Amino acid sequence: QAGPVYRADTKTKQLLERRLEHVLVVDPHAASSKLIADLVRTMAPAQVTVAREQAQAVDALRHWDPRLIVIERSAGDIDGCAVVRALR
């Protein structure tokens, strides 16, 4: 099994560890959402929540205050712009 695709240098990793407490990944595709979540976890010990539907993403935003949201603009039933508007 191959190792992580990305390895943060020490300074970057320390910064990310302080800043990334919770990350929300919004992607309807299981493989790509897993890849993104794994990549985030290799960079920082963040709690990663994956939402595969727009309603799940909006619900996650009601319960969490993520430091970073990774979302596609449009994929499946997900309208990334609508999710971002729900933040406001």
Side-chain angles (χ1 to χ4, degrees), residues 4-21 23 25 35-48 68 70:
V5 175
Y6 175 81
R7 294 186 198 276
D9 62 46
T10 304
K11 194 175 211 179
T12 302
K13 194 165 184 91
Q14 289 171 348
L15 177 67
L16 290 171
E17 286 173 355
R18 287 194 309 264
R19 304 283 171 129
L20 293 181
E21 298 163 6
V23 176
V25 176
L35 176 69
I36 294 166
D38 290 347
L39 180 61
V40 168
R41 288 185 189 109
T42 64
M43 294 188 298
Q47 179 179 354
V48 180
L68 174 67
V70 180

Side-chain angles (χ1 to χ4, degrees), residues 64-77:
W64 298 96
D65 184 20
R67 295 291 200 148
L68 174 67
I69 301 172
V70 180
I71 186 169
E72 288 193 46
R73 184 171 173 198
S74 177
D77 78 332

Side-chain angles (χ1 to χ4, degrees), residues 47-59:
Q47 179 179 354
V48 180
T49 298
V50 175
R52 294 215 174 90
E53 298 175 0
Q54 185 167 326
Q56 289 176 324
V58 172
D59 188 54

